[in-house]
Amino acid sequence: MSLKQNMQNKTIYTNAKKAWDNGDGAYTPTLLASPMALDPTNKTGGWGLAIADITSVGWVLRHWAISTDKKDNPVAVPVFTR
């Protein structure tokens, strides 16, 4: 895992924890595909690690949408609830 990916995952975990601790009913981060998404053997764009970090806080994945940004890079918008 690259340093950039490690930092992104730490931020994702920190934000998920803050939302959980604030008592938010839902958490909906926008997850950009990592450079690993360019690897055809990695079908999740590195999102699996982010989901693992978020669910480790207590969030449960309820819905999932995938789109692309202006440069046609994959972007995921998962919806987590308590």
Side-chain angles (χ1 to χ4, degrees), residues 39-47:
D39 177 357
T41 63
N42 180 3
K43 304 298 184 205
T44 64
W47 295 322

Side-chain angles (χ1 to χ4, degrees), residues 12-28 53-62 80-82:
I12 288 168
Y13 173 84
T14 300
N15 291 341
K17 180 85 168 103
K18 284 180 187 176
W20 183 268
D21 292 344
N22 286 338
D24 295 354
Y27 179 62
T28 57
D53 284 344
I54 295 166
T55 57
S56 74
V57 173
W59 293 108
V60 177
L61 180 63
R62 297 293 181 189
F80 294 90
T81 60
R82 291 180 170 271

Side-chain angles (χ1 to χ4, degrees), residues 2 5 19 26 36 39 49-50 76:
S2 72
Q5 184 68 29
M36 295 185 317
D39 177 357
L49 296 173

Side-chain angles (χ1 to χ4, degrees), residues 3 8-9 25 31 37 57 59:
L3 178 61
Q8 181 179 358
N9 286 350
L31 305 177
V57 173
W59 293 108

